[in-house]
Amino acid sequence: MTSPGAASISLDATVLGTPQRVRTWGRTASATPVGVARPATIDEVVAVVLAARERGLPIKPIGSAHSFTDIALTDGVLVDLAALSGIVRVDAARDRVTVLAGTALHALSPLLNAHGLALQNMGDIDRQTIAGAMSTGTHGTGLAFRGLATQITAAMLVTADGTLLRVSETENADLLPAVQVGLGALGILVEVELQCVPQFLLRAVEQGEPFDVVDEFLDRAAAVDHFEAYWWPHTDRLSTKTNTRLPLETEYRPLSRLAEWWEDEFFGNGLHYTISRLGLGVPALTPRVNRLAAALYGNRTFTAPSHEVFTSPRRVHFQEMEYALPAEALAPAIREVKALVEREGWRISFPVELRVAAADETWLSTAYGRRSAYIAVHRYWPEDARLYFTAVEDIMRAHDGRPHWGKLHERTADDLAPAYPRFDDFLDVRDRLDPDRTFTNAYTRRVLGS
């Protein structure tokens, strides 16, 4: 650890910001901190930590508020990292790039492309900051690809006493698998070094297929680079997406502007909003609307830069719960979810997302130690999701599921600990870096304990 020069900055209360109500993107949680600080430099982050500590206030960093849980909320001091953005340095020889932690994923991809680089894999949403995505275990799909956090090869964070801790493969290396998915409980990430790859294209094939494809899902996923599917409740149809990695020199065959607008904006957002509103006001229409959507949505083939294919705009606000299961449990688990929806008679307008990922060694990664499948359920934000989510969670727990840290779930430290072989090791690192629980909140108390 090194003591920054910022330690001498005057601890004027103005560095802590003013009270402001903050809510998550999905409208699932909110808080009114005593101050929302917006540091623009690492030294200013240190000043905020020292000022808050002097006043005995808890601290939580926040990115784009795209988590559905209250993981990034606090009644103390909220540290908005949005201004801490951009590339710090590029190691061209090793394809590694150091970025400030508040950099949004949608801003990062063009910056990497300018250096001929790209992220190895991405999820389907790019509104998160790099720190938020890594800290909650965001992932994409592909049996040969691990979660985004495993791409962190080094990091710098501000710890509870205001010092800077550098973690890498050669410096404090024992802490790296804890810091990669740290839940914001170890300190405030201010810089991360990412292992990138040369820029590449993806050939996307999107089509409707029978629901029974779930039985061959793992074989399909093993045969291609990236495979995922969406099941439309009240139907026997999936929308599948198959993405194949291609060299940058491959012929670029993007969608026409009209085709892109039709699929992503008109249908994916505009019509989806209408479907959601209809489902809210007249639930009986949902099955018919879903059958129409399953027939019309996702029938296209195109080739484009990786980040344009991996991600899609999401403007309709929703609630989400996602579980990671042992990969072999995907088919039986999604069949149980389908039977549940049919048995209970619920009207579910949002599709259920199915993805996969390789095993990794990051301690709190949902794919730690096992090849994993992901099942994500959603509801339109004003709807009451509790019965649906609780019943689905029971199914996921029966299949040894682990909840996504940034998405809704009801798990606690007592029953999460057995699901993660290195859980106690993570708690030991937390005790070492934040013994006074400066970075705690209601969420971390629930999932990590006091």
Side-chain angles (χ1 to χ4, degrees):
M1 293 188 183
T2 58
S3 297
S8 62
I9 293 176
S10 173
L11 299 184
D12 190 280
T14 56
V15 302
L16 300 179
T18 56
Q20 176 184 331
R21 182 172 179 263
V22 178
R23 66 176 179 176
T24 59
W25 178 88
R27 281 50 173 166
T28 47
S30 64
T32 303
V34 298
V36 178
R38 294 183 171 84
T41 67
I42 293 173
D43 282 354
E44 289 178 7
V45 174
V46 174
V48 171
V49 170
L50 292 176
R53 286 270 297 185
E54 184 178 78
R55 290 156 180 76
L57 296 171
I59 308 163
K60 289 302 292 184
I62 192 169
S64 60
H66 223 289
S67 288
F68 297 88
T69 64
D70 55 346
I71 188 171
L73 299 181
T74 182
D75 294 328
V77 176
L78 196 67
V79 185
D80 184 343
L81 297 175
L84 210 66
S85 179
I87 289 180
V88 178
R89 56 187 168 272
V90 177
D91 182 345
R94 296 192 295 171
D95 291 340
R96 292 184 177 182
V97 178
T98 300
V99 301
L100 292 169
T103 308
L105 290 173
H106 67 86
L108 177 60
S109 289
L111 295 176
L112 294 178
N113 290 173
H115 294 278
L117 299 172
L119 294 175
Q120 298 174 32
N121 198 7
M122 297 183 71
D124 59 1
I125 295 176
D126 62 2
R127 299 295 102 180
Q128 310 98 315
T129 62
I130 194 71
M134 303 300 180
S135 296
T136 56
T138 296
H139 60 93
T141 192
L143 281 177
F145 298 89
R146 301 177 300 168
L148 270 67
T150 65
Q151 299 174 37
I152 295 180
T153 53
M156 181 165 66
L157 60 159
V158 180
T159 60
D161 62 0
T163 59
L164 297 180
L165 174 65
R166 301 178 190 276
V167 177
S168 71
E169 296 161 319
T170 58
E171 190 173 4
N172 298 303
D174 59 313
L175 302 181
L176 188 58
V179 169
Q180 286 172 323
V181 177
L183 312 187
L186 306 180
I188 300 179
L189 280 174
V190 289
E191 278 187 7
V192 294
E193 180 187 73
L194 302 171
Q195 179 63 63
C196 300
V197 297
Q199 190 178 359
F200 62 99
L201 303 183
L202 284 172
R203 181 176 184 268
V205 178
E206 301 178 1
Q207 59 188 352
E209 300 193 57
F211 178 81
D212 287 346
V213 165
V214 300
D215 294 323
E216 58 188 58
F217 196 99
L218 296 184
D219 291 336
R220 293 278 295 273
V224 298
D225 293 316
H226 307 278
F227 183 71
E228 62 186 299
Y230 295 81
W231 168 59
W232 294 88
H234 318 296
T235 79
D236 289 315
R237 301 294 292 173
L238 299 177
S239 293
T240 64
K241 297 185 176 184
T242 302
N243 295 332
T244 302
R245 300 164 83 92
L246 299 171
L248 193 60
E249 298 75 23
T250 305
E251 184 178 358
Y252 180 31
R253 294 184 177 179
L255 293 169
S256 68
R257 289 188 177 182
L258 177 59
E260 184 175 16
W261 173 84
W262 168 260
E263 189 81 8
D264 292 335
E265 294 300 337
F266 176 79
F267 194 96
N269 287 293
L271 191 56
H272 201 173
Y273 173 78
T274 302
I275 291 170
S276 300
R277 296 303 300 180
L278 279 173
L280 185 64
V282 191
L285 291 176
T286 297
R288 281 178 285 174
V289 172
N290 277 14
R291 286 192 290 271
L292 177 63
L296 295 178
Y297 182 70
N299 290 284
R300 58 184 183 174
T301 299
F302 61 100
T303 301
S306 58
H307 69 278
E308 295 180 13
V309 178
F310 281 136
T311 65
S312 301
R314 294 285 187 266
R315 309 194 207 287
V316 181
H317 297 269
F318 55 83
Q319 308 167 65
E320 181 175 2
M321 179 178 72
E322 182 177 55
Y323 260 79
L325 312 174
E328 292 70 23
L330 185 146
I334 188 57
R335 286 192 175 279
E336 289 177 42
V337 172
K338 186 174 187 290
L340 170 72
V341 172
E342 293 170 352
R343 181 174 66 250
E344 296 296 333
W346 296 321
R347 295 295 181 253
I348 310 297
S349 59
F350 267 77
V352 177
E353 186 175 20
L354 311 176
R355 293 182 288 175
V356 289
D360 64 53
E361 298 177 353
T362 296
W363 293 351
L364 292 190
S365 165
T366 50
Y368 178 85
R370 69 188 191 193
R371 189 175 68 157
S372 297
Y374 292 86
I375 297 179
V377 294
H378 314 72
R379 293 216 76 170
Y380 186 41
W381 75 268
E383 295 177 320
D384 188 344
R386 287 173 295 179
L387 289 177
Y388 178 39
F389 282 14
T390 298
V392 170
E393 187 165 46
D394 288 343
I395 293 172
M396 301 300 122
R397 289 174 66 121
H399 288 282
D400 196 20
R402 298 168 178 165
H404 188 299
W405 298 107
K407 300 178 184 180
L408 298 171
H409 67 92
E410 296 299 325
R411 303 289 289 274
T412 64
D414 287 343
D415 66 3
L416 284 168
Y420 289 91
R422 304 300 296 270
F423 194 85
D424 287 343
D425 293 320
F426 183 89
L427 296 185
D428 288 344
V429 171
R430 184 187 185 210
D431 287 340
R432 170 179 164 186
L433 298 184
D434 187 21
D436 298 325
R437 301 297 187 259
T438 298
F439 300 109
T440 196
N441 65 358
Y443 182 85
T444 57
R445 284 191 292 272
R446 175 162 69 90
V447 302
L448 298 177
S450 58

